[in-house]
Amino acid sequence: PIYSHRRARPGEPARRRFAPFRVRDWRVPTKLAAVLVLPAVAFLVIAGVQINSSVSTARQTETFAHGIKVGRELTALVHDLQTERDRTAGVLAQAAKTPSAEPVAIGPELTSDYATTDAGFTAFFSASKALSDTSGTAAGAKVIANDVTQLHLVRDGVRNRWLRQGAVFDQYSAMIQHLFNIVRSEEHTSELQS
């Protein structure tokens, strides 16, 4: 606008002021830049949202995979505890037939059961570390840690014959029930998150 300072002549149309958001007032290079830049920016925004969604899905899948691993270790641990419980009850039933002055012979079958159960606890604790963020798993881990301490006391009671068969069986059953309670609390937590 060379003559922007002059007044409009009579009969001449009034000039419009330049409006930056009115596309018809833009120059050709500005319009060309807008046509090229706006789709690129829109693409980047949509791609960013998609990447964020994919990362979130990947994290959920990873947590689910860790949950499956913990579930497998938990199942194996329950099986090992049930086997140890049943064999220990059998040894105590056999020991009930012998005089109490003789020590209960802990044969190789119980020693191997003890080792298998201890390995199961170790595998469960290492697998559940990845899921320790959830409150149900953290509280369950404390209960299970207490159960490990109780298990060592029960084993000592079996060796030294100061625990009866019913008490031993009940203690093992309580430990197994605590493991089942962890599964229930995890199911409840996952239902609430869904």
Side-chain angles (χ1 to χ4, degrees):
I2 298 173
Y3 303 107
S4 62
H5 63 280
R6 73 180 182 119
R7 291 187 175 165
R9 295 187 182 147
E12 190 178 319
R15 293 182 188 220
R16 287 186 289 184
R17 287 186 11 213
F18 176 75
F21 294 110
R22 192 174 331 156
V23 177
R24 47 199 278 209
D25 289 346
W26 290 0
R27 295 182 178 181
V28 172
T30 306
K31 289 179 183 179
L32 187 60
V35 166
L36 296 175
V37 170
L38 287 177
V41 169
F43 171 77
L44 290 175
V45 168
I46 291 171
V49 169
Q50 288 293 327
I51 289 172
N52 189 22
S53 175
S54 295
V55 168
S56 175
T57 302
R59 284 187 183 138
Q60 289 175 348
T61 303
E62 182 181 11
T63 302
F64 182 73
H66 285 301
I68 296 294
K69 184 177 180 184
V70 170
R72 287 182 182 153
E73 297 299 336
L74 185 66
T75 302
L77 179 58
V78 168
H79 173 72
D80 294 340
L81 266 174
Q82 287 173 336
T83 301
E84 182 178 330
R85 173 191 67 187
D86 296 343
R87 290 193 178 170
T88 301
V91 167
L92 287 175
Q94 186 67 29
K97 297 178 183 176
T98 62
S100 63
E102 297 177 20
V104 175
I106 305 295
E109 64 182 356
L110 281 184
T111 304
S112 67
D113 287 334
Y114 291 172
T116 302
T117 303
D118 290 342
F121 272 115
T122 302
F124 172 73
F125 283 130
S126 67
S128 65
K129 283 182 184 177
L131 295 178
S132 62
D133 296 340
T134 61
S135 61
T137 304
K142 290 179 184 176
V143 170
I144 300 304
N146 184 37
D147 284 346
V148 170
T149 304
Q150 293 296 322
L151 180 63
H152 292 297
L153 290 174
V154 168
R155 288 175 180 172
D156 286 341
V158 169
R159 275 190 216 102
N160 298 321
R161 293 186 77 178
W162 53 265
L163 273 179
R164 293 181 295 156
Q165 181 180 359
V168 170
F169 192 85
D170 290 343
Q171 187 62 37
Y172 275 107
S173 297
M175 287 182 233
I176 292 166
Q177 187 60 46
H178 292 158
L179 292 172
F180 286 136
N181 290 343
I182 289 176
V183 173
R184 286 191 197 113
S185 70
E186 285 301 313
E187 287 174 354
H188 181 69
T189 302
S190 65
E191 286 175 3
L192 291 177
Q193 292 175 352
S194 295

